[in-house]
Amino acid sequence: MGTPERIEAVAEQVIQTVHAGHKVVVVVSAMAGETNRLLGLAHQIDNRPATRELDMLAASGEQVSIALLAMALIKRGHPAVSLLADQIGILTDNKFSRARILSVGTERLWQELEQGHIVIAAGFQGRDIEGNITTLGRGGSDTTAVALAAALKADECQIFTDVDGIYSMDPRICADAFRLPYVDASSMLELASLGAKVLHSRSVEYAAMHQVPVRVLSSFRPDQGTLVCYEDQNMSVPAVTGLACQTGEVWLELNELSSELHIALLKEFARLAIETDMLKVQYAPSGLVQMQFSLNQNDLNTVEDICNELKKKQNFTLQSRKSLGKLSIVGIGLKSNPVITATVFEQLQLLAVQVVAVSCAEIKLSIVVPEAELNKVAVALHSALLGSVN
Amino acid sequence: MGTPERIEAVAEQVIQTVHAGHKVVVVVSAMAGETNRLLGLAHQIDNRPATRELDMLAASGEQVSIALLAMALIKRGHPAVSLLADQIGILTDNKFSRARILSVGTERLWQELEQGHIVIAAGFQGRDIEGNITTLGRGGSDTTAVALAAALKADECQIFTDVDGIYSMDPRICADAFRLPYVDASSMLELASLGAKVLHSRSVEYAAMHQVPVRVLSSFRPDQGTLVCYEDQNMSVPAVTGLACQTGEVWLELNELSSELHIALLKEFARLAIETDMLKVQYAPSGLVQMQFSLNQNDLNTVEDICNELKKKQNFTLQSRKSLGKLSIVGIGLKSNPVITATVFEQLQLLAVQVVAVSCAEIKLSIVVPEAELNKVAVALHSALLGSVN
C-alpha cells in the first residue's frame, strides 16, 4: 500500500471479499517507502543500530498502515479493527530482525470476527516472551498472513503481490516464462528460497508445515494466480516445475579447518541466521575439513568476521569468488531423472559458460556461473527444459 | 526532538544526568512534525477518522522517537531500552484521543533501572483494559512523565520545553513578564488550564494529585527553570502569581432549559470531555435554567450539535459570541483581596474595553473581552498588578 489512494483501493477489494460472504482478516505491511524512511533515520543515528531498537522502530510502519486501512473501511460503513502483534498474541523467538513465529493467539481474532468486524492485522512483527517487539525479516508480512491463516484454519491465504502468480521463471529474464496455475509445496519452497522473490521462503516453510492453502495473486488485477498445493491435492506434477535465478552470490571455499572449528562455524551461522546453499563438506585423511558453499554477498562481511575470529584459535584458509549468479532448476524427482541432468550439462557445454559449481538435490539442481552469464544460461535452460510445454 | 541531530543532543543531555549519579527514565514525544504528518494521512482517508484507529496511528510517532533515542544512547555506550505503554503497563480509560491514566506499572521500569539501563518511555500513549492503544491528548507526554515520576517516586520530574520556565505572563505579549522561580501547585493548575501552554493542565493535575516535584526547563539552555511547589515547601506566596491569556474563546448563553436538559447537557459535556470555563447557572422562578460559560472555539460545533439534538426534546435558546479572548489573573486568595479586584476594574475602565464577562474564584479572576483587545488588557493589568515586583 503505497499511498492513501492505494489504501482506499485495498479497502474496496476487502469489501468485495466480505460481500462474497467471507470473514476476513487482512494482514498489511508498511506503506511503500516507509520502512526505508525509518531505516534511514536509524542510520543517521548509528550505522549499526541496536537490533532491539531497530525492530521497535521498524514495527511502527505497520502500525500506521493498519490504522489507515481500518479508517478507510470504517468510513465505508464496514466495522473494522486494527490489531498489533501483541493484541493478537503473535509470540516469536527473540532473534531481532529475523524472528520466527512460535505461536499465534486466536481468541481476540475470533472475538472480533464473530462481532462482524474486519480485522486488519499488522504484518512483519511479533513480540517475544518478554514483550519486546520483534520483526520477522524480509517477507515478514507474508509469514504473518500464513501464520494467521494457519491459526484460524482459513479457507485460503491470499497473498497480493505485484505479479499475478508464480512463473516457470522470472518473465523479465525469459520471455517464454509462463504462470503456473498450481505449484507443489516442496517446489515452492525451493523456488522461494532460491530467489523467486514473490514469496519469502520462511512464509512458504510455515505454509508447508501447517498445510495452508496459499494463493499468490496480483494486487492490481486479481485473477486465479498460483495456488500452492499439498500431497493430498490431485494434480499432475511435471518433472521440472520452474527455474529461479539469484544474483549477488559468492562462492566460498574454506580449507584445513579442524572439525571443532567446522562445527563452531556452523553454530555461528545458525546463531546469526546466515543462510548458506550448496554446502559441500569433505574430510581429508588428516581429519581436517574442506567446506564449500554459496552465500549471499550481503552476508560475506559477517562470514569473514566470524572466520577471522575463529582463525585466532587455529589457522585455516578462506577463498571467495564474488559476482556470481545461481540458476536453480526445481522439480520433483530431478536427481533420479538423468534426462534432465544430461540436458543441463549439454546446454552448459553448448553455451561455453565457465561453471563454478553444480549441485543436485532431490528436487533442485543448482548451477553457479559468473553473474554476467546468468541470464543467458537461464533463458537457454528454460527453453531446453520447459520451452516445449508452453 | 525534531531531527536526528536533536536526538543526539538529547542523548548527550541524558548522559549528563546519568553522570550526575541519577537513574533516569526519559519520556519522549514524537519528532516535531511527525504527529501532523500522521494526522494528515488520516484526513486524506477520512475527515472524521475513527478515534480508536486515530490513536493507533498517532501512537506510532512516539514509537519511532523512543527507538531512535535508545539507539543514540547505545551508540554512546550507555545501555538503554525503549518501552511502549503496554511494556511499562500504562493503563488508561478508553476515551480515545483524550484518555486518562488509571495506573502505571513499575515492575519492568525498576527491573530495567536496576540493571543499569536508561529507560526511554513512549509519552502520550496508554492501553485500555482491553489492550487498545489510547492517547492522552494535548500535552500527553508531560502527563506520562508526571505519571511515571509519581509511580517511581522520582526525586524530580523535569519537563523540557521551548521556554525556560513559567512566566508571570506570556513574554511575547508583555515585555515586563518575568520567570517565576517557584509556583504553587494550585496557581500552576489554574495557569495551565488557562492557556499558559508550557504545561498541559492534565499533567499539572496529575502532579498535584501525587505531589510530584515538577521542574519546567528549557531544552536548549537548561537552567533553574520553574519548580512547582506544594504546601509543605516553604515559600512566600505573592498575591498574584501570574496572568494567562487565551484566544479563540466563545461566550455562550443558553436560556429556558428545563433542569432535566441542563443535566443531560452537562453529562454530554463530561462524556465528550468538553471543557467549559466561567460556568454560571441561574434558575428562573419558572424552574427553567439559564447557563453561561466560555468555551474554546474548537468545541463550538460539537456543543451546537449536542444542543440541536437536545432541542428536539424541549426547545431552548442558544446565543454565542465569538472571537473573544480571556485574561485570567491567578494567585492565592484573590477573591478575598479587594485591592486586586479594585485594581482590575479600575484598569478596565481606564482602557475603555468592552467587557463580556468577569468571574472570580478563590485563586483566579477571569475577564472575557474581544480578542482584538486582549493583549492591551493583559499588558496593562500585568503592569498594574506585577509591574512593581520586577
Side-chain angles (χ1 to χ4, degrees):
Chain A
M1 306 198 304
T3 58
E5 292 72 41
R6 196 66 209 118
I7 289 170
E8 310 255 7
V10 171
E12 293 295 345
Q13 206 166 316
V14 170
I15 289 169
Q16 278 181 30
T17 312
V18 170
H19 283 161
H22 299 290
K23 289 193 197 301
V24 181
V25 176
V26 189
V27 175
V28 295
S29 41
M31 288 169 78
E34 180 63 4
T35 305
N36 284 341
R37 187 184 73 87
L38 293 169
L39 296 183
L41 286 172
H43 288 287
Q44 279 181 266
I45 301 279
D46 191 350
N47 49 23
R48 290 186 75 172
T51 54
R52 179 191 181 276
E53 302 305 327
L54 203 54
D55 280 11
M56 172 69 92
L57 181 76
S60 70
E62 280 70 26
Q63 188 166 333
V64 169
S65 52
I66 57 174
L68 292 174
L69 181 55
M71 285 175 194
L73 286 162
I74 292 166
K75 179 178 119 185
R76 286 165 172 76
H78 286 266
V81 63
S82 66
L83 295 178
L84 294 169
D86 72 285
Q87 293 170 329
I88 296 167
I90 300 179
L91 183 70
T92 71
D93 62 24
N94 63 0
K95 292 215 170 63
F96 295 113
S97 303
R98 290 174 163 187
R100 275 177 190 271
I101 293 176
L102 301 176
S103 67
V104 174
T106 56
E107 196 182 332
R108 177 84 187 254
L109 288 174
W110 278 121
Q111 184 189 316
E112 299 290 349
L113 290 172
E114 273 156 17
Q115 286 176 35
H117 296 164
I118 302 168
V119 175
I120 315 297
F124 180 63
Q125 59 183 268
R127 292 285 185 120
D128 70 10
I129 192 83
E130 289 179 339
N132 298 306
I133 290 185
T134 55
T135 67
L136 309 179
R138 265 175 290 173
S141 289
D142 294 350
T143 309
T144 305
V146 169
L148 296 193
L152 294 168
K153 305 194 197 318
D155 295 335
E156 199 165 284
C157 173
Q158 303 186 330
I159 309 250
F160 291 86
T161 70
D162 53 358
V163 295
D164 65 347
I166 308 293
Y167 273 67
S168 62
M169 190 168 152
D170 186 337
R172 287 166 303 184
I173 295 174
C174 177
D176 287 339
F178 51 91
R179 181 175 59 79
L180 306 168
Y182 301 97
V183 63
D184 67 283
S186 316
S187 295
M188 186 65 233
L189 205 51
E190 290 289 353
L191 287 169
S193 73
L194 289 168
K197 298 214 176 64
V198 177
L199 283 182
H200 194 264
S201 56
R202 207 169 265 188
S203 63
V204 183
E205 271 173 42
Y206 205 104
M209 220 151 53
H210 297 85
Q211 306 239 329
V212 177
V214 170
R215 190 184 292 278
V216 176
L217 296 161
S218 159
S219 330
F220 301 97
R221 33 186 173 82
D223 198 352
Q224 288 302 92
T226 298
L227 184 66
V228 179
C229 296
Y230 301 91
E231 279 69 34
D232 60 341
Q233 304 206 9
N234 201 355
M235 54 162 195
S236 64
V237 177
V240 172
T241 306
L243 283 72
C245 289
Q246 276 169 296
T247 54
E249 290 288 306
V250 185
W251 184 256
L252 281 183
E253 185 173 321
L254 280 63
N255 271 303
E256 311 208 308
L257 268 92
S258 70
S259 55
E260 288 77 21
L261 278 200
H262 170 233
I263 290 163
L265 190 62
L266 292 178
K267 282 190 177 166
E268 274 298 282
F269 286 4
R271 191 177 66 84
L272 296 166
I274 288 169
E275 286 171 21
T276 62
D277 191 26
M278 302 175 72
L279 176 64
K280 209 170 75 181
V281 176
Q282 279 185 295
Y283 289 84
S286 63
L288 292 177
V289 180
Q290 182 196 54
M291 275 177 82
Q292 294 178 308
F293 53 90
S294 73
L295 189 75
N296 189 288
Q297 214 148 281
N298 295 330
D299 286 330
L300 182 59
N301 282 343
T302 315
V303 169
E304 285 178 339
D305 287 351
I306 298 169
C307 286
N308 289 334
E309 199 53 42
L310 290 178
K311 277 181 186 175
K312 290 176 189 166
K313 297 186 185 167
Q314 179 241 316
N315 203 25
F316 58 90
T317 66
L318 181 150
Q319 286 171 294
S320 61
R321 278 193 65 175
K322 296 177 198 170
S323 302
L324 302 177
K326 185 166 65 186
L327 175 76
S328 299
I329 300 153
V330 172
I332 302 293
L334 274 192
K335 209 176 183 173
S336 48
N337 191 332
V339 179
I340 291 170
T341 332
T343 309
V344 167
F345 283 102
E346 191 182 35
Q347 286 296 320
L348 289 174
Q349 197 176 20
L350 282 172
L351 292 166
V353 172
Q354 181 199 14
V355 176
V356 177
V358 175
S359 80
C360 191
E362 189 54 36
I363 64 162
K364 179 186 83 165
L365 191 159
S366 292
I367 306 151
V368 176
V369 295
E371 204 169 62
E373 311 263 33
L374 183 63
N375 288 4
K376 189 174 70 178
V377 174
V379 170
L381 284 175
H382 187 276
S383 163
L385 296 167
L386 290 169
S388 57
V389 178
N390 205 14
Chain B
M1 306 197 305
T3 57
E5 293 73 42
R6 195 66 210 120
I7 289 170
E8 310 254 10
V10 171
E12 293 293 346
Q13 207 166 317
V14 171
I15 289 170
Q16 279 180 29
T17 312
V18 170
H19 282 162
H22 300 289
K23 289 191 196 302
V24 181
V25 175
V26 189
V27 175
V28 294
S29 41
M31 287 168 77
E34 180 63 6
T35 305
N36 285 341
R37 188 184 74 88
L38 293 168
L39 296 182
L41 286 171
H43 288 287
Q44 278 182 269
I45 301 280
D46 190 350
N47 50 22
R48 290 187 74 173
T51 54
R52 179 190 181 277
E53 302 304 328
L54 204 55
D55 280 10
M56 173 70 93
L57 181 75
S60 71
E62 280 71 26
Q63 189 167 331
V64 169
S65 51
I66 57 173
L68 293 174
L69 181 55
M71 284 175 195
L73 286 163
I74 292 166
K75 180 178 118 184
R76 286 166 172 75
H78 287 267
V81 62
S82 66
L83 294 178
L84 295 168
D86 73 286
Q87 294 170 330
I88 296 167
I90 301 178
L91 183 71
T92 72
D93 61 24
N94 63 0
K95 293 215 168 64
F96 295 112
S97 303
R98 290 175 164 188
R100 275 178 190 269
I101 293 177
L102 301 175
S103 66
V104 174
T106 56
E107 195 181 334
R108 177 83 188 255
L109 288 174
W110 278 121
Q111 185 188 317
E112 299 290 350
L113 290 172
E114 274 157 15
Q115 286 175 36
H117 297 163
I118 302 168
V119 174
I120 315 298
F124 180 63
Q125 59 184 269
R127 293 284 186 119
D128 71 9
I129 193 84
E130 289 180 339
N132 298 306
I133 289 184
T134 56
T135 67
L136 309 180
R138 263 175 289 173
S141 289
D142 294 349
T143 309
T144 305
V146 169
L148 296 193
L152 294 168
K153 306 196 197 318
D155 295 335
E156 199 166 283
C157 173
Q158 303 185 331
I159 309 249
F160 291 86
T161 70
D162 53 359
V163 294
D164 64 349
I166 308 294
Y167 273 67
S168 61
M169 187 163 157
D170 187 338
R172 287 166 303 186
I173 296 176
C174 177
D176 287 338
F178 50 92
R179 181 175 60 81
L180 305 169
Y182 302 97
V183 61
D184 68 283
S186 316
S187 297
M188 187 64 236
L189 206 52
E190 290 290 354
L191 287 168
S193 73
L194 287 168
K197 297 211 176 66
V198 178
L199 283 183
H200 194 265
S201 56
R202 207 169 265 187
S203 63
V204 182
E205 271 173 42
Y206 205 104
M209 219 152 51
H210 297 86
Q211 307 237 330
V212 178
V214 171
R215 189 184 293 278
V216 176
L217 296 162
S218 158
S219 330
F220 301 97
R221 32 186 172 82
D223 198 352
Q224 288 302 92
T226 298
L227 184 66
V228 179
C229 297
Y230 301 91
E231 280 69 32
D232 58 344
Q233 304 206 7
N234 201 354
M235 54 164 198
S236 64
V237 177
V240 172
T241 306
L243 282 73
C245 290
Q246 275 170 297
T247 54
E249 290 287 306
V250 186
W251 184 254
L252 282 183
E253 185 172 321
L254 280 63
N255 272 303
E256 311 208 309
L257 268 92
S258 70
S259 54
E260 288 77 20
L261 278 200
H262 170 232
I263 290 162
L265 190 62
L266 292 178
K267 282 189 176 167
E268 275 298 282
F269 286 2
R271 191 176 67 82
L272 297 166
I274 288 169
E275 285 170 22
T276 62
D277 191 26
M278 302 175 73
L279 176 65
K280 209 169 76 179
V281 176
Q282 279 186 293
Y283 290 85
S286 63
L288 292 177
V289 179
Q290 182 197 54
M291 275 177 82
Q292 294 179 310
F293 52 91
S294 73
L295 189 74
N296 189 289
Q297 212 148 283
N298 295 330
D299 286 331
L300 183 59
N301 281 344
T302 315
V303 168
E304 284 178 340
D305 287 352
I306 298 169
C307 286
N308 288 334
E309 199 54 39
L310 290 177
K311 277 181 185 175
K312 291 176 188 165
K313 298 187 185 165
Q314 179 242 317
N315 204 24
F316 58 90
T317 66
L318 180 151
Q319 286 171 296
S320 60
R321 279 193 65 177
K322 296 176 198 169
S323 303
L324 301 176
K326 184 166 66 185
L327 176 76
S328 300
I329 300 152
V330 173
I332 303 293
L334 276 189
K335 209 175 183 174
S336 47
N337 191 331
V339 178
I340 292 169
T341 333
T343 308
V344 167
F345 283 102
E346 190 184 36
Q347 287 294 321
L348 291 173
Q349 199 179 19
L350 283 172
L351 293 165
V353 172
Q354 180 199 16
V355 177
V356 177
V358 174
S359 80
C360 191
E362 189 53 36
I363 64 162
K364 180 186 81 165
L365 192 159
S366 292
I367 307 150
V368 176
V369 296
E371 203 169 61
E373 311 263 32
L374 183 63
N375 288 3
K376 188 174 71 178
V377 175
V379 171
L381 284 175
H382 187 277
S383 163
L385 295 167
L386 289 170
S388 57
V389 179
N390 205 13

